[in-house]
Amino acid sequence: MPTTSLVDSKYFTVTCVLILILGLFPGLPQFLLGLPLCALKLAFSTRQFSSPSNIVTCPTGCAPLDSVDMSSSWFQKTFTLPSKSRGSYLITDHVESSLPEIKDYKVGILNLFVQHTSCALSLNENWDSDVREDMSDALDRIAPEDRKGNLYRHSAEGLDDMPAHIKSALIGASVTIPITNGTLNIGTWQGIWYLEFRASKHTRKVVATIQGEKR
Ligand SMILES: *[C@@H]1O[C@H](CO)[C@@H](O)[C@H](O)[C@H]1NC(C)=O
């Protein structure tokens, strides 16, 4: 019948054109199939950039971003440590009473920095005072006094001075402690230590810096 052959020849033409197009652009079907995925990706990425809080990724377990106030507060002050001669001392209580501002922070970081070169700050056992005495003795063995005069060049300030510099470099001048809900979040057996390495009493200055979000 003439109508059927007309339809047949139409299909034939369309098929020929399709084959021609596929021949010219072999990647076309893949491109067409990928279009919906592309559109989805685009939608999500534009959403992310339209709202700045969405850019910050939140690992599982942390507070939901909507409830976090991103504004942060800085606080700084200097206080002195009780004057001590050589030894290791627990100063957690002294730090807390010198810094009532810790209570103002919901979440934050306290940095303590001692401005001297012959003492140190550390975090260590808060219970048995033997640990503090053993630490001082161990450091004396690591950096002994130069009684025979053949270990160090620097001796102008006395036998105890150069060992004090070495111990100070080994232990460090600062500690950083997390603040959680207005308290120092240290472990049950942890305390803040001030290690004095000079033989005679010295008064040491500490710069305390707090950064965090207030309560
Ligand atoms: C935070 O500390 C306050 C007291 O300062 C207490 O009432 C509250 O329960 C604490 N919140 C958490 C989550 O520990």
Side-chain angles (χ1 to χ4, degrees):
M1 285 208 277
T3 39
T4 318
S5 70
L6 192 65
V7 169
D8 278 355
S9 73
K10 263 187 187 167
Y11 277 131
F12 180 73
T13 315
V14 168
T15 311
C16 279
V17 168
L18 275 177
I19 289 170
L20 192 71
I21 289 173
L22 273 179
L24 286 174
F25 309 101
L28 195 63
Q30 222 173 346
F31 171 76
L32 289 175
L33 283 174
L35 263 185
L37 199 68
C38 254
L40 271 179
K41 270 188 193 164
L42 205 66
F44 273 101
S45 63
T46 45
R47 254 191 62 192
Q48 207 172 43
F49 288 111
S50 64
S51 153
S53 67
N54 279 348
I55 294 171
V56 185
T57 52
C58 179
T60 32
C62 80
L65 278 171
D66 291 348
S67 71
V68 174
D69 176 3
M70 290 306 204
S71 66
S72 69
S73 159
W74 287 89
F75 169 82
Q76 192 167 69
K77 97 174 180 195
T78 301
F79 63 92
T80 54
L81 294 174
S83 295
K84 299 285 184 190
S85 53
R86 183 159 50 197
S88 306
Y89 305 93
L90 200 56
I91 55 161
T92 312
D93 291 348
H94 183 81
V95 168
E96 283 170 343
S97 62
S98 303
L99 294 169
E101 295 80 7
I102 292 169
K103 291 188 192 71
D104 301 337
Y105 287 82
K106 183 163 73 181
V107 58
I109 288 286
L110 166 66
N111 177 262
L112 298 172
F113 177 86
V114 71
Q115 293 180 304
H116 306 271
T117 59
S118 49
C119 61
L121 294 176
S122 188
L123 285 160
N124 216 298
E125 151 119 19
N126 64 10
W127 184 69
D128 187 356
S129 60
D130 281 352
V131 177
R132 297 197 289 281
E133 288 183 33
D134 285 342
M135 187 70 74
S136 295
D137 292 350
L139 290 169
D140 281 343
R141 290 194 293 275
I142 291 169
E145 289 192 355
D146 188 7
R147 294 191 186 281
K148 289 182 186 156
N150 55 10
L151 283 179
Y152 313 120
R153 291 166 189 81
H154 175 82
S155 59
E157 293 167 74
L159 278 180
D160 63 323
D161 189 53
M162 192 54 216
H165 290 310
I166 295 169
K167 295 169 192 173
S168 166
L170 288 176
I171 304 296
S174 67
V175 291
T176 300
I177 301 158
I179 298 171
T180 307
N181 194 27
T183 57
L184 292 180
N185 198 347
I186 49 180
T188 309
W189 304 109
Q190 270 181 322
I192 308 169
W193 283 27
Y194 152 46
L195 298 94
E196 178 54 62
F197 303 132
R198 295 304 306 272
S200 61
K201 275 192 177 180
H202 281 71
T203 302
R204 305 303 199 173
K205 277 198 292 184
V206 171
V207 181
T209 307
I210 300 177
Q211 202 243 318
E213 190 192 339
K214 288 201 164 184
R215 297 213 270 184

